[in-house]
Amino acid sequence: QYGARRGIWNILELLNQYRVKATFFVLGTTAEKYPETVQAAAKAGHEIAGMGYGFASVRTASEEQERSIVRRAAKVLQDIADVKIRGWRCPDYRVSPKTLDILAEEGLVWDSSLLNDDLPYLFDTGARKIVEIPFTTSTADKTYVGYPYPQRGGPDGLASVWNNELDVLYRESEKAPRLLSLSLQTWATGRPASLRVLRQLLDRLVGHEEFRFAQCSDVAGWRLNSAAP
């Protein structure tokens, strides 16, 4: 409960201080239990994306079951936060053979469930094209400060990988665009030690023209308008 009771408020306060807008992936059940948190994030200008209704895997669900999950989650977020979601992430990062088709057919623009590339790319579904925004667990906070204990590197390990990743991507960006994707859990980065690491990273990035903070829908829009195949 820490993430919803305290962690998200700490993160929202920090992002507001730096005027950074993020994408929050929200379960339908979380929105129902803690509506004020989702409403606060949306009111602050952060993007709200879907992450299922509960934490059930869709990998082995029927097409009807999975479509029902997407619709139910979208309706809950619409009712509670007054947002029409444009993006999605499966809660266990495991899609079904029909996930992307269902998302496209339900009007979503992008997905971020796969870990198979460095840059966003297009899937041509039967309905239309949908953008996949891949991410990596190597820069996810819970990889270093998650459970079970002992922590695998802790906040110092998290700071090290964030800075090393940024160093490499910054050098590579001299030739082509690069994307640094951070996956944060409110119960992890919302705690003081990890929050300090995020503050240090923002100190390094904010105010420099060569860096841009982007919500997932911004990234998807860039990819859809890109000349790349």
Side-chain angles (χ1 to χ4, degrees):
Q1 294 182 345
Y2 182 87
R5 290 174 59 88
R6 175 50 49 196
I8 187 171
W9 302 108
N10 292 340
I11 292 173
L12 286 173
E13 181 181 7
L14 181 62
L15 295 178
N16 181 62
Q17 290 174 7
Y18 286 87
R19 298 182 180 180
V20 171
K21 305 302 181 184
T23 297
F24 282 77
F25 294 90
V26 184
L27 290 170
T29 50
T30 300
E32 290 176 335
K33 190 172 184 178
Y34 302 99
E36 67 282 359
T37 63
V38 189
Q39 292 163 355
K43 185 177 180 180
H46 301 291
E47 178 180 16
I48 305 299
M51 199 175 182
Y53 176 71
F55 212 81
S57 173
V58 300
R59 190 178 188 184
T60 57
S62 68
E63 181 177 346
E64 293 74 17
Q65 289 172 327
E66 185 172 5
R67 190 181 301 277
S68 176
I69 289 171
V70 173
R71 289 179 175 176
R72 189 176 185 185
K75 185 178 187 305
V76 167
L77 295 174
Q78 174 80 53
D79 292 345
I80 290 176
D82 194 27
V83 295
K84 181 176 176 60
I85 62 171
R86 304 185 69 207
W88 189 264
R89 175 175 290 168
C90 293
D92 57 359
Y93 321 143
R94 294 183 178 184
V95 301
S96 78
K98 295 294 293 182
T99 296
L100 296 175
D101 292 299
I102 291 171
L103 295 179
E105 290 165 6
E106 293 300 316
L108 276 72
V109 176
W110 58 267
D111 173 71
S112 184
S113 300
L114 303 182
L115 301 88
N116 59 358
D117 210 322
D118 293 327
L119 291 173
Y121 57 93
L122 297 177
F123 268 110
D124 195 357
T125 70
R128 57 183 173 78
K129 291 182 178 179
I130 189 169
V131 179
E132 178 62 34
I133 306 175
F135 72 107
T136 172
T137 55
S138 66
T139 56
D141 55 3
K142 67 179 182 180
T143 302
Y144 303 88
V145 298
Y147 300 102
Y149 291 112
Q151 295 182 346
R152 292 161 290 184
D156 289 341
L158 182 61
S160 176
V161 75
W162 280 358
N163 282 296
N164 285 325
E165 191 97 353
L166 178 59
D167 288 342
V168 172
L169 294 177
Y170 182 61
R171 288 195 299 271
E172 292 180 352
S173 70
E174 295 178 358
K175 298 180 179 179
R178 288 293 180 263
L179 176 67
L180 173 60
S181 178
L182 303 183
S183 179
L184 311 179
Q185 307 292 323
T186 55
W187 54 262
T189 294
R191 292 190 179 275
S194 301
L195 198 68
R196 180 172 179 267
V197 171
L198 179 59
R199 182 184 294 276
Q200 291 170 340
L201 182 68
L202 293 177
D203 280 335
R204 183 178 177 187
L205 296 173
V206 170
H208 297 279
E209 293 183 356
E210 61 266 46
F211 301 124
R212 178 187 174 187
F213 292 91
Q215 297 175 330
C216 286
S217 283
D218 297 327
V219 175
W222 169 79
R223 184 59 187 85
L224 286 168
N225 293 321
S226 172

